[in-house]
Amino acid sequence: MPLVTSKEMLIDAQKNNYAVGAFNANNMEIVQAIIETAQEERSPVIVQASQGAIKYAGLDMIVSIVRALAEKATIPVVLHLDHGTDYYQNILCLRAGFTSLMFDGSKLPFDENVAMTRKVVEMAHVCDVPVEAEIGQIGKMDASDEPGVAQERIKEFMADPEEAARFVKMTEIDSLAAAVGTIHGCKEQIAQLDISRIEKIRDLTGVPLVLHGASGASDEEIRKGIAAGISKINIDTRIRMAFTKAAGDFLDQNPDEIDPRKMLGPAKEAAKEVIRGRIRVLGSNNQA
Ligand code: G3H
Ligand code: 13P
Ligand code: ZN
């Protein structure tokens, strides 16, 4: 079916106590893995592209691949801009056919974050495209960071519930990424979600909440987060790890193989298994 927007998809998840997986993609095989698995699991799904993904693959290429696969699928698929830190990037994605946007002004002072987010919302809503934005700061682990670094960095910029409520009211965003206990790029499941903070933000804002950096959260933490009001769960690192390991293992075992398809096939299958596992934990299977 044609791409859908994330508006109704996230409201349905919010009402029915499950979450939709938003999986990052940088290449054709990962987009295939996301949409094929969602189809097999009868799950609504969000394919998201970061600015880095757009730089790597090209905006039109991403839209074409996602659109072609979504049109063949019978489950709803959203194409979302992940962490668009630039107003113009949001305009370009809207024009290119993205059906969900994110303005990430989390590094800006509060008033500037409000003003820029509001500008993106005004533009996107003219086209009925919903917008996610960030409050607090969800940090990032570097590959060389020790796992212990994560806990300290997570605590540094947690979202303040009252500020989150003012932010949503002033910007009229459709979903909110709030810093509530995770960090991007975490290879171990060490995140401890601040459940009472999530509940306060849910009660004060009313909009679907988004958990970023969810690769670092255990199944139990994710289930608690969903029960507290999380409706969209972002996953990238787990897919990267599985995809790259499978490709590396293949090359180790077949050092003379030169056909990239032989390496990328098992990598795609490994990504599918990760995505299937996440979809089942989120409870979005059989919701489409
Ligand atoms: O939150 C960030 C996503 O994992 C995308 O990462 O900017 O390296 O594409 P990236
Ligand atoms: P992880 O890479 O930690 O799973 O985070 C993904 C994410 O939040 C994308 O916006
Ligand atoms: Zn993120």
Short mmCIF file of all heavy atoms in Angstrom, two decimals, residues 114-141:
data_model
loop_
_atom_site.label_atom_id
_atom_site.label_comp_id
_atom_site.label_asym_id
_atom_site.label_seq_id
_atom_site.Cartn_x
_atom_site.Cartn_y
_atom_site.Cartn_z
N VAL A 114 11.99 25.52 20.79
CA VAL A 114 10.55 25.75 20.58
C VAL A 114 10.33 26.45 19.24
O VAL A 114 9.51 26.02 18.42
CB VAL A 114 9.94 26.61 21.73
CG1 VAL A 114 8.52 27.07 21.36
CG2 VAL A 114 9.92 25.83 23.04
N ALA A 115 11.09 27.54 19.00
CA ALA A 115 10.84 28.35 17.80
C ALA A 115 11.10 27.55 16.52
O ALA A 115 10.28 27.58 15.58
CB ALA A 115 11.73 29.60 17.85
N MET A 116 12.21 26.80 16.50
CA MET A 116 12.54 26.03 15.29
C MET A 116 11.57 24.87 15.09
O MET A 116 11.13 24.59 13.97
CB MET A 116 13.98 25.50 15.36
CG MET A 116 15.06 26.55 15.24
SD MET A 116 14.88 27.56 13.77
CE MET A 116 15.02 26.35 12.47
N THR A 117 11.25 24.20 16.18
CA THR A 117 10.32 23.07 16.08
C THR A 117 8.97 23.56 15.56
O THR A 117 8.36 22.95 14.68
CB THR A 117 10.15 22.39 17.46
OG1 THR A 117 11.43 21.97 17.93
CG2 THR A 117 9.23 21.18 17.37
N ARG A 118 8.55 24.68 16.08
CA ARG A 118 7.25 25.28 15.69
C ARG A 118 7.23 25.58 14.18
O ARG A 118 6.24 25.33 13.49
CB ARG A 118 7.06 26.54 16.53
CG ARG A 118 5.88 27.37 16.26
CD ARG A 118 4.61 26.83 16.90
NE ARG A 118 3.49 27.19 16.04
CZ ARG A 118 2.35 26.56 15.96
NH1 ARG A 118 2.13 25.50 16.71
NH2 ARG A 118 1.41 26.96 15.16
N LYS A 119 8.36 26.08 13.67
CA LYS A 119 8.46 26.38 12.23
C LYS A 119 8.29 25.12 11.40
O LYS A 119 7.60 25.10 10.37
CB LYS A 119 9.85 26.96 11.91
CG LYS A 119 9.88 28.48 11.84
CD LYS A 119 11.29 29.00 11.59
CE LYS A 119 11.69 28.90 10.13
NZ LYS A 119 12.88 29.73 9.81
N VAL A 120 8.94 24.04 11.86
CA VAL A 120 8.84 22.76 11.12
C VAL A 120 7.40 22.24 11.18
O VAL A 120 6.84 21.79 10.18
CB VAL A 120 9.84 21.71 11.68
CG1 VAL A 120 9.62 20.35 11.03
CG2 VAL A 120 11.27 22.18 11.47
N VAL A 121 6.79 22.35 12.37
CA VAL A 121 5.41 21.87 12.53
C VAL A 121 4.47 22.64 11.60
O VAL A 121 3.62 22.05 10.91
CB VAL A 121 4.95 22.00 14.01
CG1 VAL A 121 3.44 21.80 14.14
CG2 VAL A 121 5.71 21.02 14.90
N GLU A 122 4.62 23.97 11.56
CA GLU A 122 3.72 24.78 10.72
C GLU A 122 3.82 24.36 9.25
O GLU A 122 2.82 24.22 8.57
CB GLU A 122 4.07 26.27 10.85
CG GLU A 122 3.43 26.87 12.09
CD GLU A 122 3.91 28.27 12.41
OE1 GLU A 122 4.72 28.84 11.63
OE2 GLU A 122 3.52 28.79 13.47
N MET A 123 5.06 24.10 8.81
CA MET A 123 5.27 23.71 7.42
C MET A 123 4.70 22.30 7.17
O MET A 123 3.94 22.08 6.23
CB MET A 123 6.77 23.72 7.13
CG MET A 123 7.14 23.04 5.85
SD MET A 123 8.89 22.70 5.75
CE MET A 123 9.19 21.54 7.02
N ALA A 124 5.03 21.37 8.05
CA ALA A 124 4.65 19.96 7.83
C ALA A 124 3.14 19.76 7.93
O ALA A 124 2.56 19.00 7.15
CB ALA A 124 5.37 19.07 8.84
N HIS A 125 2.51 20.46 8.86
CA HIS A 125 1.07 20.27 9.04
C HIS A 125 0.24 20.76 7.86
O HIS A 125 -0.85 20.26 7.63
CB HIS A 125 0.61 20.91 10.36
CG HIS A 125 0.96 20.08 11.57
ND1 HIS A 125 0.55 20.40 12.85
CD2 HIS A 125 1.67 18.94 11.71
CE1 HIS A 125 1.02 19.49 13.70
NE2 HIS A 125 1.70 18.60 13.03
N VAL A 126 0.81 21.69 7.09
CA VAL A 126 0.12 22.11 5.86
C VAL A 126 -0.09 20.90 4.95
O VAL A 126 -1.07 20.77 4.25
CB VAL A 126 0.95 23.19 5.10
CG1 VAL A 126 0.33 23.50 3.75
CG2 VAL A 126 1.07 24.44 5.94
N CYS A 127 0.89 19.98 5.01
CA CYS A 127 0.83 18.77 4.17
C CYS A 127 0.33 17.56 4.95
O CYS A 127 0.50 16.42 4.49
CB CYS A 127 2.21 18.46 3.60
SG CYS A 127 2.95 19.84 2.75
N ASP A 128 -0.24 17.77 6.13
CA ASP A 128 -0.73 16.66 6.97
C ASP A 128 0.36 15.66 7.34
O ASP A 128 0.10 14.46 7.48
CB ASP A 128 -1.89 15.90 6.29
CG ASP A 128 -3.18 16.68 6.41
OD1 ASP A 128 -3.33 17.42 7.40
OD2 ASP A 128 -4.02 16.55 5.49
N VAL A 129 1.58 16.15 7.46
CA VAL A 129 2.68 15.26 7.86
C VAL A 129 3.03 15.58 9.32
O VAL A 129 3.25 16.73 9.68
CB VAL A 129 3.90 15.44 6.93
CG1 VAL A 129 5.15 14.78 7.49
CG2 VAL A 129 3.58 14.86 5.56
N PRO A 130 3.03 14.54 10.17
CA PRO A 130 3.29 14.76 11.59
C PRO A 130 4.78 14.96 11.90
O PRO A 130 5.65 14.56 11.13
CB PRO A 130 2.79 13.47 12.25
CG PRO A 130 2.79 12.45 11.18
CD PRO A 130 2.68 13.15 9.85
N VAL A 131 5.02 15.58 13.06
CA VAL A 131 6.40 15.93 13.46
C VAL A 131 6.68 15.44 14.88
O VAL A 131 5.88 15.63 15.79
CB VAL A 131 6.61 17.47 13.41
CG1 VAL A 131 8.02 17.84 13.87
CG2 VAL A 131 6.36 18.00 12.00
N GLU A 132 7.86 14.82 15.03
CA GLU A 132 8.39 14.43 16.33
C GLU A 132 9.48 15.44 16.70
O GLU A 132 10.14 15.99 15.82
CB GLU A 132 9.01 13.02 16.19
CG GLU A 132 9.76 12.49 17.39
CD GLU A 132 10.42 11.13 17.09
OE1 GLU A 132 9.92 10.35 16.24
OE2 GLU A 132 11.48 10.87 17.70
N ALA A 133 9.64 15.70 17.99
CA ALA A 133 10.74 16.58 18.42
C ALA A 133 11.27 16.09 19.76
O ALA A 133 10.65 15.25 20.40
CB ALA A 133 10.27 18.03 18.49
N GLU A 134 12.44 16.64 20.12
CA GLU A 134 13.16 16.08 21.29
C GLU A 134 13.27 17.07 22.44
O GLU A 134 13.53 18.26 22.21
CB GLU A 134 14.56 15.63 20.83
CG GLU A 134 15.39 14.99 21.93
CD GLU A 134 16.62 14.24 21.37
OE1 GLU A 134 16.54 13.69 20.25
OE2 GLU A 134 17.64 14.22 22.07
N ILE A 135 13.12 16.55 23.64
CA ILE A 135 13.29 17.39 24.83
C ILE A 135 14.19 16.66 25.82
O ILE A 135 14.15 15.43 25.90
CB ILE A 135 11.92 17.79 25.44
CG1 ILE A 135 12.04 18.99 26.36
CG2 ILE A 135 11.23 16.65 26.13
CD1 ILE A 135 12.13 20.31 25.63
N GLY A 136 15.01 17.42 26.56
CA GLY A 136 16.13 16.78 27.25
C GLY A 136 17.14 16.47 26.17
O GLY A 136 16.98 16.90 25.02
N GLN A 137 18.18 15.74 26.49
CA GLN A 137 19.13 15.35 25.42
C GLN A 137 19.43 13.87 25.54
O GLN A 137 19.90 13.41 26.60
CB GLN A 137 20.44 16.12 25.57
CG GLN A 137 20.44 17.46 24.87
CD GLN A 137 21.80 18.14 24.98
OE1 GLN A 137 22.85 17.51 24.87
NE2 GLN A 137 21.78 19.42 25.24
N ILE A 138 19.14 13.12 24.47
CA ILE A 138 19.46 11.69 24.46
C ILE A 138 20.85 11.59 23.84
O ILE A 138 21.02 11.79 22.64
CB ILE A 138 18.42 10.90 23.65
CG1 ILE A 138 17.01 11.21 24.19
CG2 ILE A 138 18.71 9.40 23.72
CD1 ILE A 138 15.91 11.12 23.17
N GLY A 139 21.84 11.33 24.68
CA GLY A 139 23.24 11.37 24.21
C GLY A 139 23.61 10.21 23.33
O GLY A 139 22.75 9.41 22.91
N LYS A 140 24.89 10.12 23.04
CA LYS A 140 25.39 9.07 22.13
C LYS A 140 26.66 8.47 22.70
O LYS A 140 27.53 9.21 23.18
CB LYS A 140 25.65 9.70 20.77
CG LYS A 140 25.82 8.71 19.66
CD LYS A 140 25.75 9.40 18.29
CE LYS A 140 25.72 8.33 17.23
NZ LYS A 140 24.71 8.47 16.24
N MET A 141 26.80 7.15 22.64
CA MET A 141 28.04 6.48 23.03
C MET A 141 28.96 6.45 21.82
O MET A 141 28.51 6.20 20.70
CB MET A 141 27.77 5.02 23.40
CG MET A 141 26.87 4.79 24.57
SD MET A 141 27.75 4.88 26.12
CE MET A 141 28.61 3.31 26.15
#
